[in-house]
Amino acid sequence: MTGAEFQSISHTIPVQAGIYKYYDEQGTLLYVGKAKSLRKRVSSYFVKNHDNYKTRKLVEHIHHIEFTIVDSEQDAFLLENSLIKQFQPKYNINLKDDKTYPYIVIKHEPFPRVFLTRNVVKDGSEYLGPFTSVGRVRELLEIIKYNIPLRTCNLNLSEQNIRKGKFKVCLEYHLGNCKGPCEGLQTEADYRENLSQVKNILKGNLAPVMNLFKEEMTYFATNMEFEKAEIMRKKIESLRAYSAKSTIVNTRLGNMDVFSIISEGNHAYVNYLRILNGTIADTKTVTLEKQLEETEEEVLVYAIAYLRDVFKSINREIVVPIPIEYPEHEVTLTVPKSGDKKKLLELSEKNVNYFKEELYRKKILHLEGKSDMERKQVLYQLQADLELPVLPLHIECFDNSNFQGAYPVSACVVFKDGVASKKDYRHFNIKTVQGINDFASMTEVVHRRYSRLLAEGEPLPQLVIIDGGKGQLGAAMDSIRALNLIGSMTVVGLAKNEEEIFFPGDSESIKLPFNSESLKLIRRIRDEVHRFGITFHRNKRSKGTFKNELEGIKGIGQNTATQLLKTFRSVNKIKQLPLEDLVKEVGNAKAKIIWDYFHPEEGTTNVSLPQ
């Protein structure tokens, strides 16, 4: 659908809240989205040029649009998530979680059995969970079996069958694990009371169960039934031991859901901690693939909705690392700064970091686990796809990064014979560039890298990948030309979002088949340079190597610098502020010092400052 075609129908689009569905010419659902105002949101796709390749492709393929008007933004949010889950459209966020989770089922039958299952059947049974660990489910069932007498047989314990005396008690009855409902030795009311204790245990609410056992222990002891009292004491101790094994943060915290997120390129990783009665009942981490350059906030909201639905969470408080708009009105959002909730968030962040690093480790091990012949085949495929003059046995990749608009650094990773050669990795602190200038930084690090290899007589790579597209590629080629290395190696640029590959001087890019082994290798190399660069940044910051640039201004202290960064988020934004905004934030004198520092070309300011 072209912009002109859209304009002809734009006046027919509802202005109310709702969801919109984009279809292609064959009637395939491409994308589902929600909006406070359908007309305003849908129009944004057609009235501006999009930098993101996938967004441009989506718009090109839209043939017709369908709308569903709802009463509120919350209803739109819930309907959008339901449709995405049902149809999994190509251009929506792809959440990679095909695992079948275990449940504990309370079977819909006389004297219900309680057991583990992965199959949820709509037969009136009650399913508790899901749980992320089969081991944890089995441990819970053992705790239940030890403490709560329930039947485990599959007999049809109808009232008629029991009355006719069709069954006899088994060994479980004589062991004390069952009260013999098959012979009418236990009433349904008593059995239901046992099931209510089971539900308390499964929900982590152990206090009512232990209180009941204490009452029974006291009763037996008072009536001189010391053996039975001892059995109750052991049950209480087993529940205490189970409770001690659980990760308890603070029993006063109650129930809440805790989420953390890490974003890297087109992927994000979200960890979920389910807190019940101050105890971590479950933890789960998922991977999400961005499709249309979604923000971290959008990805987090989608993951929260998905995970709360999967785990049937009704917790009314959600702890998150960043402010988000989550349209469930009855839910409280908390971004903690300190205390127990902050500790929970930090624990969630540890889990998501471990998950991401484990995925990376497995990916590298998988690649290194290939035979020499298999790796060579991938390299031959890459040579053919890029039409390289020689086999790329030695590949290097460069990437720039900065922190809050300041402190630029670069990273270079090296792959030899298709696998990472970590001893050859290099970090670069930018030395010759003032401020943030990615192009100039790339020119510097490429020159430093290859001038050194030439000086030391080291072999040059056959393929160099510049992460960042045309502009970064041009900057790198300035150094390649200056070093007279044109023709000595192939240098290509890799667009950050579209995975398009550019050659110097070519106006058109090439796109390798999405699932080709050669593109998978390029992705691995790109992910590795991102990881290596980000790790460098974190280590530098943790060691205090990066001093806030604002603190380097004579007359500006740490408190003022921190205040400005809290308000404006980055040094770059502060540099671009009008003087009046600086005055409002830090006063006349300090505003003048900061303005003069960032605008030396304008000389000392003569602007009249408000008194």
Side-chain angles (χ1 to χ4, degrees):
M1 182 179 291
T2 64
E5 289 171 333
F6 173 77
Q7 289 302 325
S8 68
I9 65 163
S10 61
H11 64 283
T12 67
I13 300 174
V15 295
Q16 296 99 318
I19 62 101
Y20 54 94
K21 294 182 281 186
Y22 293 153
Y23 292 87
D24 65 13
E25 199 167 1
Q26 286 73 43
T28 303
L29 181 60
L30 299 174
Y31 184 79
V32 176
K34 66 178 183 303
K36 293 180 184 178
S37 167
L38 287 167
R39 184 179 300 177
K40 184 176 180 181
R41 182 70 185 100
V42 173
S43 297
S44 69
Y45 284 89
F46 296 92
V47 299
K48 64 180 182 180
N49 295 321
H50 296 280
D51 295 330
N52 183 265
Y53 172 79
K54 288 183 179 177
T55 307
R56 294 199 304 270
K57 281 295 179 186
L58 168 63
V59 174
E60 288 173 12
H61 285 98
I62 295 172
H63 179 263
H64 63 278
I65 310 170
E66 291 182 2
F67 307 97
T68 301
I69 298 171
V70 296
D71 291 330
S72 67
E73 186 184 357
Q74 178 175 357
D75 290 342
F77 170 73
L78 296 173
L79 179 56
E80 177 199 38
N81 277 278
S82 174
L83 291 171
I84 292 172
K85 186 176 179 181
Q86 181 180 354
F87 296 106
Q88 298 180 343
K90 177 181 177 180
Y91 286 93
N92 281 101
I93 294 171
N94 177 21
L95 194 148
K96 300 177 179 180
D97 184 31
D98 55 359
K99 184 175 180 181
T100 303
Y101 295 98
Y103 289 80
I104 291 178
V105 60
I106 300 176
K107 201 66 179 168
H108 179 57
E109 59 191 6
F111 300 96
R113 290 168 294 152
V114 178
F115 56 89
L116 180 154
T117 184
R118 288 187 184 272
N119 299 316
V120 177
V121 182
K122 293 183 179 179
D123 60 354
S125 298
E126 185 175 356
Y127 292 86
L128 300 168
F131 298 89
T132 54
S133 166
V134 174
R136 175 174 165 77
V137 174
R138 293 200 172 109
E139 182 183 16
L140 278 168
L141 290 174
E142 282 299 313
I143 289 289
I144 290 167
K145 182 177 180 179
Y146 181 78
N147 290 284
I148 313 291
L150 297 173
R151 74 167 177 130
T152 56
C153 63
N154 58 3
L155 301 175
N156 179 10
L157 298 188
S158 66
E159 184 180 348
Q160 184 180 11
N161 287 342
I162 295 172
R163 192 168 57 247
K164 287 181 178 179
K166 283 191 173 185
F167 313 114
K168 295 293 181 182
V169 293
C170 63
L171 180 61
E172 290 294 306
Y173 171 79
H174 296 292
L175 292 174
N177 295 329
C178 177
K179 290 184 177 180
C182 59
E183 282 194 36
L185 301 175
Q186 182 182 25
T187 66
E188 287 202 47
D190 185 65
Y191 197 92
R192 281 196 299 272
E193 176 61 29
N194 285 353
L195 287 178
S196 69
Q197 303 306 324
V198 169
K199 292 175 187 177
N200 276 326
I201 291 175
L202 293 176
K203 292 175 181 176
N205 191 16
L206 301 182
V209 185
M210 286 196 282
N211 289 337
L212 178 65
F213 289 171
K214 286 175 184 175
E215 290 175 9
E216 292 187 13
M217 182 177 69
T218 303
Y219 171 81
F220 290 135
T222 303
N223 288 277
M224 313 294 281
E225 298 181 72
F226 298 118
E227 287 186 5
K228 291 182 179 179
E230 176 63 12
I231 290 172
M232 301 314 298
R233 187 192 68 79
K234 287 181 178 179
K235 288 186 176 185
I236 293 167
E237 287 303 313
S238 76
L239 288 177
R240 281 180 179 155
Y242 172 73
S243 176
K245 283 178 65 178
S246 302
T247 306
I248 297 179
V249 182
N250 185 335
T251 53
R252 292 191 300 274
L253 278 175
N255 302 335
M256 66 187 66
D257 293 332
V258 182
F259 294 89
S260 61
I261 182 170
I262 293 177
S263 289
E264 283 191 1
N266 288 333
H267 288 87
Y269 310 92
V270 175
N271 174 261
Y272 168 43
L273 299 180
R274 181 165 58 162
I275 311 300
L276 300 176
N277 299 301
T279 300
I280 297 174
D282 261 309
T283 178
K284 173 67 179 174
T285 306
V286 292
T287 303
L288 302 100
E289 184 177 350
K290 304 175 190 177
Q291 300 292 347
L292 301 179
E293 214 170 7
E294 292 87 354
T295 65
E296 193 169 73
E297 291 81 358
E298 290 172 326
V299 175
L300 183 56
V301 167
Y302 176 76
I304 290 172
Y306 171 83
L307 289 164
R308 278 172 60 86
D309 178 57
V310 166
F311 288 92
K312 306 295 183 286
S313 174
I314 56 173
N315 291 343
R316 298 273 67 93
E317 182 175 9
I318 299 176
V319 175
V320 287
I322 53 176
I324 59 172
E325 290 186 14
Y326 191 74
E328 281 192 53
H329 303 313
E330 62 276 15
V331 168
T332 300
L333 291 170
T334 303
V335 183
K337 302 299 181 186
S338 60
D340 287 328
K341 292 177 185 178
K342 179 65 174 175
K343 290 177 183 175
L344 275 174
L345 185 59
E346 289 169 351
L347 182 61
S348 177
E349 288 167 348
K350 285 180 183 177
N351 276 275
V352 76
N353 270 297
Y354 175 81
F355 177 85
K356 179 183 71 68
E357 292 298 327
E358 189 68 7
L359 278 184
Y360 165 76
R361 188 184 68 82
K362 288 178 179 177
K363 185 189 295 183
I364 295 302
L365 286 177
H366 172 71
L367 183 65
E368 292 177 344
K370 289 181 179 290
S371 68
D372 290 344
M373 181 60 71
E374 288 173 321
R375 290 200 296 269
K376 279 281 178 63
Q377 286 175 344
V378 175
L379 295 176
Y380 278 120
Q381 183 64 52
L382 180 60
Q383 181 184 6
D385 287 343
L386 298 185
E387 299 182 2
L388 303 176
V390 293
L391 190 66
L393 296 172
H394 178 172
I395 304 172
E396 298 192 353
C397 182
F398 292 85
D399 183 41
N400 290 334
S401 59
N402 60 77
F403 176 66
Q404 289 191 342
Y407 318 116
V409 298
S410 290
C412 170
V413 299
V414 179
F415 275 58
K416 292 182 177 179
D417 297 323
V419 295
S421 179
K422 294 192 176 183
K423 66 182 178 63
D424 296 311
Y425 286 13
R426 294 293 181 270
H427 285 132
F428 299 90
N429 287 309
I430 303 303
K431 297 179 178 179
T432 64
V433 181
Q434 294 297 316
I436 300 302
N437 185 329
D438 278 344
F439 297 159
S441 296
M442 186 61 72
T443 301
E444 176 189 324
V445 297
V446 170
H447 192 281
R448 285 167 58 187
R449 170 65 174 166
Y450 296 120
S451 62
R452 180 157 187 166
L453 289 186
L454 290 171
E456 295 177 352
E458 295 292 328
L460 297 170
Q462 289 86 35
L463 175 63
V464 177
I465 301 170
I466 305 298
D467 189 42
K470 279 185 179 179
Q472 301 272 27
L473 175 60
M477 290 307 296
D478 288 344
S479 289
I480 299 297
R481 277 188 288 270
L483 293 167
N484 294 316
L485 291 177
I486 298 293
S488 299
M489 61 182 81
T490 300
V491 186
V492 298
L494 177 65
K496 283 185 180 292
N497 294 316
E498 295 85 350
E499 292 182 337
E500 294 176 288
I501 295 171
F502 293 91
F503 283 81
D506 287 357
S507 58
E508 296 295 323
S509 65
I510 66 169
K511 286 184 68 69
L512 302 182
F514 184 75
N515 285 319
S516 68
E517 289 299 319
S518 49
L519 184 56
K520 287 179 183 177
L521 175 59
I522 289 174
R523 283 196 197 113
R524 280 195 286 269
I525 295 171
R526 176 202 60 196
D527 292 346
E528 177 66 347
V529 79
H530 285 175
R531 183 199 67 81
F532 187 56
I534 289 168
T535 302
F536 180 43
H537 247 297
R538 287 174 182 159
N539 290 342
K540 297 272 283 186
R541 294 202 299 274
S542 68
K543 293 174 183 174
T545 308
F546 286 151
K547 186 181 178 186
N548 191 305
E549 185 178 357
L550 296 168
E551 294 176 49
I553 304 174
K554 187 176 180 180
I556 301 301
Q558 183 180 1
N559 290 340
T560 302
T562 302
Q563 176 188 343
L564 285 166
L565 281 176
K566 271 187 180 177
T567 304
F568 301 109
R569 308 299 296 173
S570 77
V571 175
N572 256 356
K573 287 184 180 177
I574 295 167
K575 289 178 183 178
Q576 297 163 15
L577 288 175
L579 179 60
E580 291 76 11
D581 287 357
L582 283 170
V583 170
K584 288 177 187 176
E585 189 66 26
V586 298
N588 291 350
K590 291 179 180 176
K592 181 176 180 297
I593 293 170
I594 295 167
W595 176 269
D596 287 343
Y597 176 84
F598 285 129
H599 303 85
E601 70 284 355
E602 299 180 26
T604 302
T605 180
N606 294 317
V607 178
S608 298
L609 302 177
Q611 301 299 313

